[in-house]
C-alpha cells in the first residue's frame, strides 16, 4: 500500500527528522494562506499530491516567492491531469497540493531503504546524485550508488553510518545530522512494517541543514492489520477501481495492459495462464486468482469485474477443480453473464472435481462458449479469437 508525500511526512514527523513544515490544501485560497503562514518573505513550494514520482518534471512541483504566487501555482496544479514517467499516459488528476516551506537548496542527495528478502535485511541505497531519476543514475553511473545492509535485529550500526557519511562526503555537523536522519528512518521503517522509504531529494541547504524534501513510503500489505491508522490513510481515488472492488471480495486481482480477461483459480495457475497466453502471442488484461474456496457469489463478482472491463476483447476461463468445484465456477460464470451479457469470445477449460457437472451447466446455459481441452489449446483459441 502507498501513501501520499504529505502523509509519509506526517508519519515520519515523530522520529526526530528535519522535514520542512507543510499544509495540505484543496483550493488556491488555502494554498495562499498556507504560504502566508510561513511568515513574510518566506519561500514556499506547491506540490501536487498523487501516487507517482517525477511530479517535478511534469509541472506538479513549483517554487513560489510570495503567497500570491503560491496561489497562482495552486490554481494551475489543482485539477490538472499530471503526466509523469510513472503515471499512465493520460496522467492522474490532481485533487490536492502540499504547500511546504521552501528551502534554499545547496545540493540534492538520494537515500532509500527497502526490504532485502534475500539477506533478510534492510538495504540502504544512497547517492550524491539526488533529485533526478535514480533509475537513470543506476543505468549510467552505477558506481555513484552506494548500497549497504542494516540487520533489523541489530539496528543501525556506527559502521554503517560512517561508511555512508564517507561516501556522501558529510563531515562535522552534517555527518551528525545524517546519522540522526538514517536512525530515524530505520526506526520508522521497522515500526510501520514498511516495504520502502525513499527520500529524493535529501537536501543540504545554504544555511547548513540536512532536510527531507520528498518522501515516498510503501507498506507491507500483509502487516497492515497491525497498523489500522495506516490503513486509514488509503486514498481510494488513487487506486485502480477494479482492483479496489476485487479486494472488497477477497479476490487477488491485478489489472494489466492486455485485452484477454482471465478467470483462474490458484496463484500458480493464474501465472501459468498469463505465461501461456503470452506464448500464444496474446496479452492478458488481468491477473485474477479467485482462490481455492471461493463461493459462487465470489466467482460471480470476479466475472462481473472482467465483463465490465472495456479493454477486455476476449475471456479465458481456466479452472483446475481441486478444493474449488467446477460447478461452482460454472454457476458463477452463468449468473454474471445473465446479468451483464457476454459480448466477447469466451473460451473455457475446466478440469478436475465435478468437471462433468460444470460442463453441463455451461452447455445448458445458452452461452456461446468455445471449449478447450487443455491450457495450451485454450490459450491458442482465445488469442485467435481476439485477433
Ligand atoms: P518528484 O519530482 O515527484 O520527485 O517531487 P520532489 O518533491 O522531489 O520535487 C522535485 C524537485 O523540486 C526536487 O528535486 C527539488 O529540486 C525541487 N524542490 C522540491 N522542494 C523544494 C524546495 O523546498 N526548495 C527548492 N528550491 N526546490 C525544491
Ligand atoms: Mn522526488
Amino acid at each position: 500500500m502507498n501513501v501520499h508525500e504529505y502523509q509519509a511526512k506526517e508519519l515520519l514527523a515523530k522520529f526526530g527528522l528535519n522535514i520542512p513544515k507543510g499544509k495540505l490544501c484543496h483550493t488556491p485560497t488555502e494554498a495562499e494562506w498556507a504560504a502566508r503562514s510561513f511568515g513574510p518573505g518566506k519561500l514556499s513550494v506547491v506540490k501536487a499530491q498523487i501516487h507517482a514520482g517525477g511530479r517535478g518534471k511534469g509541472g506538479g512541483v513549483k517554487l513560489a516567492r510570495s503567497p500570491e504566487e503560491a496561489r497562482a501555482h495552486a490554481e494551475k496544479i489543482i485539477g490538472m491531469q499530471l503526466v509523469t514517467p510513472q503515471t499512465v499516459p493520460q496522467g492522474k488528476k490532481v485533487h490536492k497540493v502540499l504547500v511546504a516551506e521552501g528551502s534554499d537548496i545547496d545540493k540534492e542527495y538520494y537515500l532509500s531503504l527497502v526490504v532485502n528478502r534475500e539477506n533478510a535485511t534492510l538495504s540502504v541505497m544512497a547517492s550524491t546524485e539526488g533529485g533526478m531519476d535514480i533509475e537513470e543514475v543506476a543505468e549510467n553511473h552505477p558506481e555513484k550508488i552506494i548500497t549497504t545492509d542494516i540487520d533489523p535485529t541489530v539496528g543501525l550500526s556506527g559502521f554503517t553510518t560512517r561508511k555512508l557519511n564517507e561516501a556522501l562526503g558529510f563531515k562535522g555537523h552534517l555527518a551528525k545530522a545524517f546519522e540522526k536522519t538514517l536512525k530515524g528512518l530505520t526506526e520508522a521503517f521497522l515500526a510501520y512494517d514498511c516495504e520502502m522509504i525513499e527520500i529524493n531529494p535529501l537536501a543540504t541547504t545554504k544555511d547548513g541543514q540536512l532536510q527531507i524534501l520528498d518522501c515516498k513510503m510503501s507498506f507491507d500489505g500483509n502487516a497492515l492489520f497491525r497498523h489500522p491508522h495506516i490503513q486509514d490513510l488509503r486514498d481510494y481515488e488513487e487506486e485502480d477501481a477494479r482492483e479496489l472492488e476485487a479486494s472488497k471480495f477477497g479476490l487477488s486481482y491485478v489489472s494489466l495492459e492486455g485485452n484477454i480477461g482471465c478467470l483462474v483459480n490458484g496463484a500458480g495457475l493464474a501465472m501459468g495462464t498469463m505465461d501461456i497466453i503470452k506464448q500464444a502471442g496474446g496479452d492478458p488484461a488481468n491477473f485474477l486468482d479467485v482462490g481455492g474456496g471461493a463461493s459462487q457469489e465470489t466467482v460471480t463478482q470476479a466475472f462481473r469485474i472482467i465483463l465490465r472491463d472495456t479493454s477486455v476483447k476476449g475471456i479465458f476461463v481456466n479452472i483446475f477443480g481441486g478444493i474449488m468445484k467446477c460447478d461452482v465456477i460454472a454457476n458463477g460464470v452463468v449468473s454474471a453473464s445473465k446479468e451483464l451479457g457476454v459480448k466477447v469470445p469466451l473460451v473455457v477449460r475446466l478440469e478436475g472435481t465435478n468437471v462433468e457437472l460444470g460442463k453441463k451447466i455451461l452447455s445448458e446455459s445458452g452461452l456461446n462458449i468455445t471449449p478447450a481441452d487443455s491450457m495450451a489449446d485454450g490459450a491458442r483459441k482465445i488469442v485467435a479469437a481476439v485477433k
Side-chain angles (χ1 to χ4, degrees), residues 5 45 47 52-57 61 63 101-103 105 108 131 200-201 213-214 216:
E5 174 193 6
V45 51
K47 312 182 75 176
R55 294 162 301 167
K57 279 186 187 159
V61 177
L63 206 62
E101 203 171 335
S103 304
I105 299 178
E108 302 188 14
N200 190 23
L213 294 193
D214 184 18
K216 294 205 167 33

Side-chain angles (χ1 to χ4, degrees), residues 196-222:
M196 183 205 67
I197 298 182
E198 185 184 58
I199 311 297
N200 190 23
L202 175 71
T204 50
T205 61
K206 298 262 166 65
D207 60 357
Q209 299 184 57
L210 187 67
Q211 289 190 323
I212 288 175
L213 294 193
D214 184 18
C215 177
K216 294 205 167 33
M217 220 170 172
S218 67
F219 305 89
D220 181 348
N222 293 318

Side-chain angles (χ1 to χ4, degrees), residues 313-368:
K313 302 295 174 235
I315 300 170
F316 183 22
V317 176
N318 184 19
I319 300 296
F320 186 84
I323 299 167
M324 169 58 82
K325 297 184 183 70
C326 290
D327 56 310
V328 173
I329 293 281
N331 279 324
V333 167
V334 171
S335 72
S337 304
K338 277 204 180 123
E339 183 190 322
L340 296 172
V342 186
K343 296 163 199 86
V344 295
L346 175 60
V347 174
V348 178
R349 178 249 179 175
L350 286 180
E351 211 55 79
T353 312
N354 292 1
V355 62
E356 291 313 324
L357 183 55
K359 284 182 175 167
K360 185 164 173 278
I361 292 166
L362 289 176
S363 70
E364 286 170 1
S365 69
L367 287 172
N368 186 10

Side-chain angles (χ1 to χ4, degrees), residues 64-75:
R65 279 171 298 266
S66 67
E68 292 75 21
E69 206 182 333
R71 180 194 186 95
H73 289 321
E75 259 160 18

Side-chain angles (χ1 to χ4, degrees), residues 119-381:
N119 301 350
T121 57
L122 310 184
S123 276
V124 185
M125 272 186 277
S127 178
T128 52
E129 310 305 298
M132 56 188 90
D133 268 348
I134 198 67
E135 289 82 4
E136 217 172 289
V137 181
E139 180 96 15
N140 303 323
H141 298 284
E143 76 286 354
K144 292 197 169 157
I145 298 177
I146 314 109
T147 47
T148 182
D149 282 1
I150 297 173
D151 182 339
T153 58
V154 176
L156 182 63
S157 73
F159 168 75
T160 305
T161 4
R162 278 196 297 280
K163 177 175 159 179
L164 289 167
N165 265 322
E166 174 114 352
L168 297 172
F170 293 142
K171 294 190 184 72
H173 76 280
L174 278 180
K176 280 241 158 55
F178 180 78
E179 178 168 10
K180 200 173 167 209
T181 303
L182 189 55
K183 189 163 170 285
L185 291 175
T186 306
E187 282 169 10
F189 195 102
L190 298 173
Y192 295 134
D193 291 309
C194 290
E195 255 171 7
M196 183 205 67
I197 298 182
E198 185 184 58
I199 311 297
N200 190 23
L202 175 71
T204 50
T205 61
K206 298 262 166 65
D207 60 357
Q209 299 184 57
L210 187 67
Q211 289 190 323
I212 288 175
L213 294 193
D214 184 18
C215 177
K216 294 205 167 33
M217 220 170 172
S218 67
F219 305 89
D220 181 348
N222 293 318
L224 276 179
F225 73 97
R226 296 205 283 219
H227 309 285
H229 68 294
I230 292 174
Q231 286 187 52
D232 291 344
L233 300 179
R234 202 160 173 170
D235 185 343
Y236 292 102
E237 278 175 342
E238 290 290 325
E239 298 191 23
D240 183 293
R242 290 172 299 237
E243 290 184 13
L244 197 63
E245 197 184 339
S247 74
K248 280 189 218 149
F249 297 96
L251 298 161
S252 304
Y253 177 94
V254 180
S255 55
L256 301 166
E257 269 109 52
N259 59 5
I260 297 174
C262 306
L263 182 82
V264 189
N265 67 320
L269 186 61
M271 285 193 273
T273 304
M274 294 178 4
D275 284 350
I276 210 156
I277 288 173
K278 280 271 185 191
Q279 217 168 44
D283 281 304
N286 65 282
F287 168 97
L288 171 59
D289 169 15
V290 295
S295 65
Q296 187 189 316
E297 178 53 20
T298 318
V299 176
T300 307
Q301 281 300 344
F303 207 58
R304 269 190 199 132
I305 292 170
I306 297 178
L307 287 175
R308 283 203 210 106
D309 184 344
T310 50
S311 61
V312 166
K313 302 295 174 235
I315 300 170
F316 183 22
V317 176
N318 184 19
I319 300 296
F320 186 84
I323 299 167
M324 169 58 82
K325 297 184 183 70
C326 290
D327 56 310
V328 173
I329 293 281
N331 279 324
V333 167
V334 171
S335 72
S337 304
K338 277 204 180 123
E339 183 190 322
L340 296 172
V342 186
K343 296 163 199 86
V344 295
L346 175 60
V347 174
V348 178
R349 178 249 179 175
L350 286 180
E351 211 55 79
T353 312
N354 292 1
V355 62
E356 291 313 324
L357 183 55
K359 284 182 175 167
K360 185 164 173 278
I361 292 166
L362 289 176
S363 70
E364 286 170 1
S365 69
L367 287 172
N368 186 10
I369 292 171
T370 308
D373 311 323
S374 68
M375 252 171 95
D377 180 47
R380 272 193 302 272
K381 282 176 174 159

